[in-house]
Amino acid sequence: MRLKLVRANGVHGYYLLPKKPNNPLKLSTVIIKAGPKEYYEAKDVVINYEPGIGWVLILPIIRDEIELLYLD
């Protein structure tokens, strides 16, 4: 699933999730594809609700768009 960057603060990118995750309070593990041959696994990822935006995945990577391959 493709996720679009909705905000960046210089260090972290905020990517809009299409729906509320099952357990948003739990730290998550994700695998993303950031480019043609760029794959990343991130552990202890925060999912947060941003007012006026929605549920976002906060990652230490900033790209216009990423592909979410796995979310636990």
Side-chain angles (χ1 to χ4, degrees):
M1 136 182 16
R2 294 202 174 274
L3 304 178
K4 294 199 181 276
L5 180 69
V6 291
R7 191 173 85 175
N9 66 7
V11 177
H12 292 94
Y14 292 67
Y15 296 90
L16 183 63
L17 292 169
K19 62 180 181 175
K20 179 182 177 182
N22 292 335
N23 188 358
L25 299 178
K26 180 185 125 205
L27 295 176
S28 300
T29 298
V30 298
I31 298 175
I32 61 162
K33 181 178 178 184
K37 295 183 180 180
E38 287 183 85
Y39 293 89
Y40 297 98
E41 177 183 16
K43 295 182 180 187
D44 298 332
V45 173
V46 175
I47 296 174
N48 198 18
Y49 182 78
E50 295 289 320
I53 297 174
W55 289 98
V56 294
L57 185 65
I58 303 171
L59 295 170
I61 185 168
I62 299 174
R63 301 281 195 284
D64 289 337
E65 188 174 88
I66 60 171
E67 187 173 348
L68 181 64
L69 303 174
Y70 175 80
L71 172 64
D72 176 37

